[in-house]
Amino acid sequence: MKNILIFIHKFNDIDHLSPIAYSLSKYAKANIKIVSLLPFKQHRGDFRIKFLIKDKNIDFYNFTDVANRSLSNTFLKLIIEAGSIKKKKINKKKLLNIFKFVFTLRSLKKIIFSLLFTIIYKLNFYNFIVSIFCKNLWAEYFFKFFNPSILIYDHGITTGKLATFSPNINIIKIANLKKIPVVSLPHGVPLFKDHPARYDVVKNNIKNDKSDILVLQHKYWKNECSNFGLDRKNVFVLGLPRFSYEWLEILDKIVPKEKLPNTNSINNLKIVYMDSGPNNYTSNINEFYKTIEYLNSNNKISFLYKPHT
């Protein structure tokens, strides 16, 4: 049975690659290993990941789970996985419980490493710390541990700068040496038949994709990329598995049922802001911030913000 590695790093990847993992396990009878490239995102707790790993053929790992257990690697692993200190409102009733909790050994360790992570991340040293963790024979050990037949990334890795950072650069280098195919799958949906000029950057990244097999969403986007200079073999159109009937039925059962927040008044104007992505505002980004601030602070408006996915 083939071992297929699927790498995730952000929400989009989980959303669009989960149905791929599900289908490969069910129909291709493959062993699927989902590997988080950003352990501090705590992807293991995502409802789709929880659903997928119920399958005996699907497992979840952080990339930091695969390494020798030296003291230095254990230390770096704790920092990389810690995540930032979360800001929470503390009321008087909770203060005593927090005071008791904070001095337990486990919580104290978490606070220390979260503080280290926050400092490292704010100073832009995170990628440097990861590169130290992945140096020497880490990638060789990684491939020996998983023995993969295929690697699946999303476009965000293989078409951009992330491919030049650890652990991706280490993994892709060994995959090329071992002639293990790297497949690049979409993590979003091009919505237009003919995209505006601001998407030229995306088309240029697609043209320079580093994968062996490139999968695009639909024929119109493929034609646009081809007209922009995409000229290579092994380019395929898959469609959007995220919206397949079978997967939508599964999502309907597993998506957490959350109530909308209480509105200040039933007479309030209700607004949902559907963000199109931070890169689309260009010089108008400050106007965007002002708009969000106004909508959120206006007592006559019940406001919900939906990030771009």
Side-chain angles (χ1 to χ4, degrees), residues 49-68:
I49 299 298
K50 287 180 177 179
F51 166 77
L52 290 171
I53 60 177
K54 290 179 181 178
D55 187 319
K56 65 179 181 180
N57 293 334
I58 302 179
D59 295 306
F60 176 87
Y61 297 86
N62 291 316
F63 83 87
T64 47
D65 291 335
V66 184
N68 64 61

Side-chain angles (χ1 to χ4, degrees), residues 178-225:
K178 294 180 177 293
K179 300 189 182 304
I180 297 172
V182 176
V183 180
S184 181
L185 292 173
H187 71 169
V189 185
L191 297 176
F192 303 100
K193 187 175 180 180
D194 187 13
H195 285 74
R198 66 174 180 265
Y199 284 86
D200 287 354
V201 174
V202 180
K203 295 177 193 175
N204 189 64
N205 288 341
I206 293 288
K207 181 180 71 173
N208 297 312
D209 176 77
K210 301 296 189 297
S211 67
D212 300 299
I213 300 171
L214 176 64
V215 179
L216 300 177
Q217 297 91 323
H218 51 72
K219 63 181 180 180
Y220 302 108
W221 181 238
K222 181 183 178 183
N223 291 339
E224 280 192 65
C225 292

Side-chain angles (χ1 to χ4, degrees), residues 141-158:
Y141 185 81
F142 183 90
F143 276 82
K144 183 178 180 180
F145 181 86
F146 286 115
N147 189 28
S149 306
I150 301 171
L151 307 184
I152 296 178
Y153 277 101
D154 73 278
H155 289 177
I157 299 291
T158 60

Side-chain angles (χ1 to χ4, degrees), residues 27-46:
Y27 299 110
K29 304 300 181 184
N31 286 320
I32 310 300
K33 314 295 182 184
I34 300 173
V35 181
S36 172
L37 299 167
L38 296 177
F40 61 88
K41 292 286 186 180
Q42 306 297 323
H43 289 137
R44 192 185 299 274
D46 184 272

Side-chain angles (χ1 to χ4, degrees), residues 107-119:
S107 61
L108 186 60
K109 183 180 76 170
K110 180 173 177 58
I111 289 171
I112 291 172
F113 282 100
S114 290
L115 182 60
L116 287 172
F117 175 92
T118 302
I119 294 170

